[in-house]
Amino acid sequence: MTSQDGSLDRLKISAHTRLARLYGAHRAEAITDQLMGLVQRYQPVIYHHTRDPGLDETDTLLITYGDAIRQREEPGLMQLERFLEDFYPDLITNIHLLPFYPFSSDDGFSVIDFKQVRPSVGQWDHIDALARRFGIMFDLVLNHCSRENLWFIEYIQNQEPGCNYFIEMDPQTDVSEVVRPRSSPLLAPIHTHRGTRHVWATFSEDQIDLNYSNPDVLLAMMDIFLFYLSKGARLVRLDAVAFLWKELGTSCIHLPQTHEVVKLMRDLVDAIAPWVELVTETNVPHQENLSYFGQGDEAAMVYQFALPPLILYTLNRGNADLLTNWALTLAPPPEGGTYLNFTASHDGVGLRALEGILPPYEIQSLLDCMHQFGGYVSMKANPRGPDSPYEINISYFDALRGTRTGPDQWQIERFLCSQTLMMTLQGVPAFYLQSLIATPNDIAGVERTGRLRSINRKIWDWGPLAEAMKDARHPSHLVSQELAHRLRLRKGSKAFHPASRQRVQDLGSNLFVVIRDSEQQRVYGVFNVTSVTQTLALMRLVPKNDDYQYQDLISEATYNEEDDLVLQPYQCLWLVATNKS
């Protein structure tokens, strides 16, 4: 028996166990056989994409829509590749391609056809070519589909199989216990061949939730998952996975069945594509988010959702206490797992991660400041009580236009500090395209679409973008040049391996200090989070050793241990020890 055969045998056993928990022992065998049939169909193609497992200090991730940069009728992926070659050569190793499928709303997350590429992005051949150069993260939008999806059209027409793929309910049903990130009605009215029906719609009336209590839905989505693996996915992002399983009388979030589905997907990649990283997207309070590591048997990577609002709050207030205290209590990820660190994405700056960390009046004060900088706030419904703030809709660059005292001259320095701090912490750093080019608020986009999230989803024409990136006085040029410099330094520093140890030191509210350790290197990250010059005696930070001096990788300045570090507003240091001789 080959090792592959052994992996498949183990997969069949584990899959049967999980499917029995989901659907009962009497149904598990038949469902397992169907699942294994899918595996055997896709497995030979998946093996053609074999690559080395694991991520290291050279890895970074770009978050972008495939058609965020356009030129005439050319596919967006051609412009994206050109952008990376011209401005971030050999610095981005992985690309999170936000949903590139045909869609009806929400810029891709209302999927019409899960297995097609929309023309503005390109074709499967373009995805394949990109996957030979970069690790591609596919978005698996597994909670819901578009009203225009064939499954839902079948539901409307009362045809198989789609007529059984959705959750239909009496509109008088008590759904007050359900936790969700929107303030719209949970049950959407739908005109069908059987009259008006109401279906479960967590996110919008155009995003209809799938009914995973029907095993055919699970099998259909596993078919799509395996299809993505066969197309060369290096990472797979499980969009909105926390809401997957519904059970009235519960909050319908993080249910045990949801975790069982994630574990089943982990079993699949471990058996047939161990180089693939499973990433869970759960914009929820921090401890809930960490639950998707499981016991090392669920996600290989979870989003660090607390980072965007914590870093924003820290730099807005000029006070590192909250960030330091949070980082001091941050548990290391399980062996083989890591964090996906980011500050911005296609969504807004989520606020749920601040629950229990920051009092409501401080959150409101931050929101008031973001309004001053041109931002908006999206709300969410609560099981009982009024709606509450869910996310800030603003470009991260403009969110750092100033502090709680108003705009100032330090926007670029403050923004660079935010990105450098993020890429110093344990995990893999992820940069949103709009952050790499310091995009301001796209107010025109909001006015055009009527959607608040459009403020940070600007679509660039190649000509104006290239011109801005080459203009020595333009923020896009200034930010991209310095970020590229710091990414090169990070790529060559073993201390930034995702598995390297992390220690945080509390050296006062004006500084954030984090130490990264590997067997080969130690880096002291020191960040001035204020708009005034700060001084730190180096001997407070490093152990006494007369044989060493310390060099800042970023500025190349050298210090002796008896020296004071003088940090300009928002200056970042990456200090490493060097032998004096």
Side-chain angles (χ1 to χ4, degrees):
M1 183 176 68
T2 68
S3 60
Q4 292 179 9
D5 292 335
S7 295
L8 292 181
D9 288 342
R10 289 189 294 274
L11 172 62
K12 186 173 183 177
I13 294 169
S14 64
H16 185 277
T17 301
R18 302 199 190 288
L19 291 168
R21 291 170 184 163
L22 290 171
Y23 303 111
H26 63 293
R27 305 173 74 186
E29 185 171 352
I31 303 169
T32 302
D33 287 344
Q34 290 176 274
L35 178 62
M36 295 307 296
L38 290 173
V39 169
Q40 288 165 1
R41 172 150 59 94
Y42 284 109
Q43 183 186 24
V45 184
I46 291 171
Y47 278 145
H48 285 304
H49 298 284
T50 301
R51 53 195 301 167
D52 292 336
L55 301 167
D56 61 25
E57 68 280 359
T58 67
D59 278 293
T60 55
L61 189 137
L62 169 67
I63 305 168
T64 184
Y65 287 99
D67 51 4
I69 306 172
R70 298 180 181 176
Q71 185 177 30
R72 304 185 193 91
E73 301 302 317
E74 293 182 359
L77 289 182
M78 292 178 64
Q79 305 312 313
L80 176 62
E81 196 163 5
R82 181 179 177 186
F83 167 81
L84 292 174
E85 288 174 353
D86 287 359
F87 302 110
Y88 286 92
D90 301 318
L91 296 175
I92 301 296
T93 57
N94 302 283
I95 302 174
H96 172 199
L97 283 181
L98 291 158
F100 48 81
Y101 327 111
F103 68 94
S104 56
S105 65
D106 198 18
D107 293 328
F109 286 90
S110 299
V111 181
I112 295 174
D113 190 330
F114 290 95
K115 291 187 176 182
Q116 294 296 320
V117 181
R118 64 178 181 272
S120 62
V121 174
Q123 301 175 354
W124 278 116
D125 286 346
H126 295 106
I127 304 284
D128 182 63
L130 205 66
R132 293 194 194 102
R133 294 190 56 194
F134 303 92
I136 305 298
M137 181 153 81
F138 284 44
D139 240 304
L140 181 58
V141 185
L142 73 172
N143 180 72
H144 51 263
C145 68
S146 164
R147 290 170 70 133
E148 298 179 29
N149 187 284
L150 178 60
W151 294 338
F152 197 68
I153 293 171
E154 291 172 343
Y155 167 79
I156 291 172
Q157 297 173 349
N158 199 27
Q159 295 178 353
E160 298 280 354
C163 62
N164 300 311
Y165 275 21
F166 303 92
I167 304 169
E168 189 177 290
M169 283 197 170
D170 185 315
Q172 302 306 313
T173 303
D174 181 7
V175 293
S176 61
E177 294 296 323
V178 177
V179 170
R180 52 196 294 264
R182 298 290 185 272
S183 56
S184 57
L186 175 64
L187 301 178
I190 305 296
H191 299 292
T192 78
H193 289 191
R194 298 171 292 125
T196 300
R197 295 290 189 268
H198 290 76
V199 296
W200 198 295
T202 297
F203 293 93
S204 80
E205 63 179 10
D206 187 45
Q207 295 167 298
I208 313 300
D209 287 48
L210 293 160
N211 181 13
Y212 279 86
S213 66
N214 176 359
D216 290 342
V217 170
L218 178 70
L219 289 168
M221 197 53 69
M222 292 306 98
D223 175 72
I224 293 166
F225 176 51
L226 293 167
F227 173 77
Y228 291 168
L229 299 186
S230 77
K231 289 295 185 180
R234 173 70 175 82
L235 307 96
V236 179
R237 175 183 183 267
L238 306 185
D239 176 66
V241 67
F243 305 96
L244 195 70
W245 200 278
K246 282 76 175 177
E247 191 172 292
L248 281 179
T250 74
S251 63
C252 297
I253 185 171
H254 313 314
L255 295 188
Q257 295 95 327
T258 293
H259 284 281
E260 207 66 51
V261 173
V262 177
K263 291 176 182 178
L264 176 62
M265 299 177 76
R266 177 64 180 267
D267 290 343
L268 284 167
V269 297
D270 284 352
I272 63 173
W275 58 90
V276 170
E277 306 282 346
L278 209 59
V279 186
T280 48
E281 187 264 338
T282 53
N283 188 359
V284 294
H286 185 63
Q287 289 304 317
E288 296 176 33
N289 186 31
L290 297 185
S291 71
Y292 286 86
F293 279 130
Q295 301 299 314
D297 56 356
E298 294 188 44
M301 194 182 300
V302 301
Y303 280 78
Q304 194 75 278
F305 272 107
L307 268 187
L310 279 174
I311 291 177
L312 178 59
Y313 176 84
T314 297
L315 295 171
N316 183 269
R317 293 303 189 257
N319 187 308
D321 288 343
L322 186 70
L323 181 62
T324 297
N325 291 335
W326 171 81
L328 280 168
T329 63
L330 187 62
E335 185 176 354
T338 194
Y339 296 112
L340 186 65
N341 294 327
F342 72 114
T343 58
S345 73
H346 58 292
D347 292 338
V349 179
L351 296 169
R352 291 216 63 197
L354 294 182
E355 294 176 14
I357 298 177
L358 200 62
Y361 72 88
E362 282 282 15
I363 294 177
Q364 186 57 53
S365 178
L366 180 63
L367 299 184
D368 292 342
C369 193
M370 294 302 102
H371 281 303
Q372 183 184 358
F373 297 159
Y376 305 96
V377 177
S378 294
M379 308 296 285
K380 77 175 184 72
N382 293 307
R384 293 183 177 82
D387 295 351
S388 60
Y390 175 69
E391 68 178 17
I392 305 168
N393 300 114
I394 193 169
S395 94
Y396 213 77
F397 183 63
D398 270 0
L400 294 166
R401 187 185 298 175
T403 66
R404 65 191 308 172
T405 62
D408 59 26
Q409 74 271 35
W410 301 109
Q411 182 178 14
I412 289 177
E413 290 81 1
R414 189 180 294 113
F415 180 73
L416 287 169
C417 182
S418 75
Q419 303 307 292
T420 310
L421 198 160
M422 177 271 290
M423 70 171 92
T424 306
L425 294 172
Q426 186 177 37
V428 176
F431 298 86
Y432 187 39
L433 176 68
Q434 311 295 351
S435 293
L436 286 183
I437 52 185
T439 304
N441 293 329
D442 186 10
I443 302 299
V446 176
E447 294 172 349
R448 183 178 65 255
T449 66
R451 298 192 301 271
L452 298 184
R453 283 179 168 176
S454 296
I455 197 170
N456 197 28
R457 296 180 178 180
K458 181 178 176 64
I459 297 173
W460 283 89
D461 289 328
W462 172 256
L465 174 60
E467 184 177 335
M469 295 290 285
K470 294 173 183 175
D471 182 348
R473 297 168 297 176
H474 198 283
S476 295
H477 174 86
L478 296 170
V479 166
S480 63
Q481 288 289 300
E482 188 57 33
L483 282 180
H485 168 60
R486 297 182 190 191
L487 279 170
R488 288 188 195 95
L489 294 172
R490 189 187 190 281
K491 188 174 182 178
S493 301
K494 294 290 186 181
F496 293 126
H497 190 287
S500 294
R501 295 180 300 278
Q502 173 174 297
R503 291 185 291 123
V504 174
Q505 280 191 243
D506 186 352
L507 293 179
S509 60
N510 297 323
L511 300 171
F512 180 74
V513 178
V514 58
I515 303 165
R516 296 296 308 281
D517 267 313
S518 71
E519 292 182 0
Q520 298 92 343
Q521 185 186 45
R522 173 179 294 174
V523 171
Y524 297 86
V526 185
F527 303 87
N528 179 1
V529 301
T530 76
S531 59
V532 298
T533 301
Q534 301 293 332
T535 301
L536 172 68
L538 182 56
M539 62 180 60
R540 292 186 61 196
L541 179 64
V542 301
K544 182 173 177 56
N545 191 323
D546 294 335
D547 295 331
Y548 288 103
Q549 57 186 5
Y550 293 85
Q551 184 179 43
D552 172 30
L553 296 176
I554 297 173
S555 68
E556 298 184 352
T558 300
Y559 304 90
N560 293 313
E561 64 177 28
E562 65 272 13
D563 291 342
D564 287 340
L565 303 176
V566 179
L567 287 87
Q568 299 304 310
Y570 305 106
Q571 185 176 353
C572 312
L573 303 180
W574 281 341
L575 295 171
V576 294
T578 61
N579 199 302
K580 285 184 177 180
S581 59

